[in-house]
Amino acid sequence: MTHALLIYNARLLDEATDSPGALLAVNGKIRALFHGYFTNFSTVERLAKAVMAEDGCKDDYGIEAFDARRLTVTPAFIDMHVHLRDPGQTHKEDLNSGLHAAVAGGYGTVVAMPNTAPVVSSAEAALEVNRRAEELRLARVIQSVSITSGFGGIDISHLDKLDAGQVPLITEDGHEVASAAIMLAAMKKAAQRGIIVSCHCEDPELAAAARTYRVSALAKMLRFGLSASGADEKSALRSVPKAMLEEIDVGLEKANRLLALAENTATERNIALAREAGCAIHIAHISTARAIEAVRNAKLDVLEEQGYLLEDAESDAYDDAFDAQSHADFSEQAEDGAFRITCEATPHHIALCGDEEPFIRAIVNPPLRPESDRFALLEAIRDGLVDVISTDHAPHTPPEKSAGSPGFTGLETAYAVCNTVLVRGGHIDARRLSQLMSANPARLLGLNKGILKSGCDADIAVVDPDEEWTVDPSLFCSKGRATPFEGRTLVGKVRNVFLAGLNIFEA
């Protein structure tokens, strides 16, 4: 039976379009876009029925009408980096709570990390998670698989059985593959199969050294009730002796400097290995100026190989070239045996400075960085170097977070944070944000989504880019409540989400 959805009186927005109009979806696919001011349903309904008549549809169906009320109709977001904690850690999050959080945040597809219990280290285990998620009829889950079996750092034999159509991405997220030789061998296997290697770039030995300082500082923070979530805590700070507070902050600064070095050295190593292997590499949650420069240099090398001249590196031509790379079909490129590199940034690294109160003592990996690193990240987003915005949604229980578990809950605040900081802050326009949150991740993963185009999946978010709201984590769908944006007023609210043309979320 034909199901037709007609969204009218809308602002149509994707990476290439920003105009008033209407959208017709038929049987889960976008069928047509009508540009212009359509505030009356009967007017646009006649256009829709004419299109459907051309397709051979009989005039005995009903068209579901949705008045967008001049709100923004945009492709549902795609998150390449979430922790759903299922299986085995469902006290933190489960598929039901995590996917309700996803759709509340405007997401239609999420890539789940494999650091569950047990670690997802086979196609069979990944497909079982996908199957259980599909039964919920919420956001689609693409379960990733670990690079080494069980995060053991040695066995990569399971990679021989992976199919990029089922498992497009492998990662050791939350860890790093310590052995360069094993990482190189894994990258070669991934290159043969057209699978993306997503890298949590963090040298393990430097990270272990940083952990010593962090654990000591956390013990002191717990004693005085200081939060590890980056929440504003003026009252708690008043009870901390000045000398103790300085001791805590100095310890965390030492940890963060080591973690910056850990990210920088591992990023450079992994890029070199990926180039040797001829694989597609994706740098997760990039956060330092030096790591950004390493990615920039690697992309410039690729551009030079494609015929761009290095002496033009300071010109607008390079910004255009980075943008052209963003529009490339990465899923096809991953299969050609050539080195490709992409990277993602998180909303919290985009928005927050780790040198300022109350975020000095926020515990997350990678840490919130100094303002110089944040400015470098903003520049990389503006000039097209950053390909994707991912949340690194990492829910923890309150006791775990108080004890220093490194992560934030992020699915339900991501759009508003990015709209507030990036778009309203004047760094990028709304089309570029749609590219970062929808079109580019769809290309990387080989999905028929992410843009408003006839034939694409009708995964659509309706957002109000001007609505102000105050973050109250007690209202989250996620089980995770730790967010550095608690109490902060953001601009941009998700009102509805349609998946395959069906309205599955309404705020």
Side-chain angles (χ1 to χ4, degrees):
M1 184 175 181
T2 299
H3 174 261
L5 167 72
L6 185 56
I7 302 175
Y8 67 103
N9 196 18
R11 173 195 179 191
L12 302 178
L13 175 75
D14 67 6
E15 66 173 5
T17 302
D18 188 353
S19 70
L23 180 150
L24 172 65
V26 179
N27 293 336
K29 302 287 185 182
I30 297 173
R31 174 58 185 88
L33 303 174
F34 308 106
H35 295 279
Y37 287 102
F38 296 102
T39 59
N40 185 289
F41 175 67
S42 61
T43 301
V44 73
E45 183 185 32
R46 287 194 293 272
L47 293 172
K49 287 194 172 184
V51 169
M52 295 181 69
E54 286 187 358
D55 293 342
C57 293
K58 296 180 180 179
D59 195 15
D60 57 358
Y61 52 81
I63 296 179
E64 179 185 351
F66 183 87
D67 184 354
R69 308 181 310 280
R70 300 287 181 96
L71 297 181
T72 298
V73 172
T74 193
F77 310 133
I78 299 168
D79 195 336
M80 288 185 62
H81 192 156
V82 303
H83 299 267
L84 296 179
R85 311 299 191 195
D86 193 341
Q89 301 168 352
T90 53
H91 61 289
K92 300 182 183 187
E93 192 82 286
D94 57 39
L95 289 178
N96 186 60
S97 62
L99 295 183
H100 273 96
V103 295
Y107 287 91
T109 303
V110 298
V111 178
M113 297 295 100
N115 58 337
T116 51
V119 175
V120 178
S121 295
S122 70
E124 292 78 11
L127 294 177
E128 174 60 16
V129 174
N130 296 348
R131 184 196 64 76
R132 291 194 294 113
E134 188 174 353
E135 291 179 348
L136 296 172
R137 299 185 181 277
L138 294 166
R140 177 190 181 190
V141 172
I142 299 174
Q143 176 63 59
S144 64
V145 166
S146 64
I147 296 173
T148 68
S149 181
F151 287 170
I154 298 174
D155 182 7
I156 58 172
S157 60
H158 62 289
L159 302 182
D160 295 327
K161 300 178 181 179
L162 298 186
D163 179 346
Q166 297 175 332
V167 181
L169 182 147
I170 59 174
T171 180
E172 208 86 339
D173 192 72
H175 302 74
E176 177 64 274
V177 178
S179 167
I182 289 173
M183 185 61 134
L184 177 61
M187 286 180 168
K188 288 180 176 179
K189 287 177 181 284
Q192 292 169 359
R193 287 158 182 77
I195 294 172
I196 299 165
V197 180
S198 178
C199 294
H200 176 105
C201 295
E202 184 181 73
D203 180 90
E205 292 186 357
L206 289 170
R211 196 172 300 117
T212 301
Y213 291 110
R214 185 179 268 183
V215 167
S216 177
L218 278 165
K220 298 179 180 73
M221 288 169 61
L222 276 171
R223 191 188 317 165
F224 290 96
L226 296 179
S227 171
S229 66
D232 197 340
E233 47 191 13
K234 292 184 177 67
S235 59
L237 283 171
R238 285 194 288 269
S239 67
V240 185
K242 183 178 180 181
M244 177 61 71
L245 192 60
E246 290 178 354
E247 193 175 319
I248 291 170
D249 291 349
V250 166
L252 290 176
E253 182 183 2
K254 289 180 179 178
N256 291 348
R257 288 178 65 183
L258 283 170
L259 289 171
L261 186 58
E263 178 175 344
N264 295 338
T265 55
T267 300
E268 291 165 353
R269 184 204 79 162
N270 287 334
I271 291 172
L273 294 175
R275 177 173 285 283
E276 177 65 22
C279 83
I281 183 178
H282 181 71
I283 307 298
H285 44 49
I286 197 166
S287 68
T288 71
R290 181 171 154 185
I292 290 166
E293 190 63 19
V295 171
R296 186 181 301 278
N297 289 336
K299 286 197 171 191
L300 290 176
D301 287 344
V302 172
L303 289 174
E304 184 182 30
E305 292 164 5
Q306 293 173 347
Y308 290 86
L309 300 177
L310 276 176
E311 52 263 33
D312 294 335
E314 300 301 321
S315 73
D316 291 341
Y318 263 81
D319 290 356
D320 294 341
F322 285 143
D323 188 56
Q325 281 186 337
S326 291
H327 283 78
D329 188 335
F330 292 112
S331 63
E332 289 184 3
Q333 289 179 345
E335 298 175 0
D336 64 10
F339 167 66
R340 295 290 184 270
I341 181 167
T342 54
C343 66
E344 70 184 29
T346 73
H348 48 276
H349 288 111
I350 290 167
L352 305 177
C353 172
D355 284 347
E356 297 178 354
E357 289 283 4
F359 309 117
I360 295 172
R361 288 167 291 279
I363 303 299
V364 63
N365 279 345
L368 299 178
R369 301 301 188 187
E371 195 70 344
S372 58
D373 287 315
R374 192 177 79 89
F375 281 163
L377 188 58
L378 290 173
E379 180 183 4
I381 290 170
R382 286 193 298 268
D383 69 15
L385 183 77
V386 170
D387 303 278
V388 171
I389 290 175
S390 300
T391 65
D392 194 8
H393 173 79
H396 297 283
T397 65
E400 289 170 339
K401 189 60 190 173
S402 297
S405 291
F408 298 142
T409 298
L411 282 166
E412 293 165 82
T413 56
Y415 166 69
V417 169
C418 294
N419 182 60
T420 302
V421 175
L422 294 176
V423 179
R424 296 179 70 90
H427 296 286
I428 60 174
D429 62 20
R431 290 180 303 162
R432 169 68 172 145
L433 182 59
S434 179
Q435 182 185 72
L436 289 162
M437 297 186 71
S438 301
N440 278 354
R443 289 191 185 96
L444 270 167
L445 298 167
L447 305 177
N448 187 34
K449 308 174 188 287
I451 55 175
L452 301 180
K453 181 181 178 182
S454 179
C456 288
D457 295 345
D459 289 3
I460 296 160
V462 180
V463 302
D464 184 344
D466 300 315
E467 182 176 345
E468 294 187 358
W469 60 287
T470 300
V471 178
D472 179 356
S474 70
L475 302 178
F476 284 173
C477 296
S478 172
K479 293 181 181 180
R481 297 289 186 265
T483 170
F485 302 105
E486 181 175 0
R488 185 163 173 170
T489 298
L490 301 175
V491 185
K493 188 73 173 176
V494 176
R495 307 307 308 175
N496 295 82
V497 173
F498 294 82
L499 296 185
L502 302 177
N503 192 351
I504 64 164
F505 172 79
E506 186 168 356

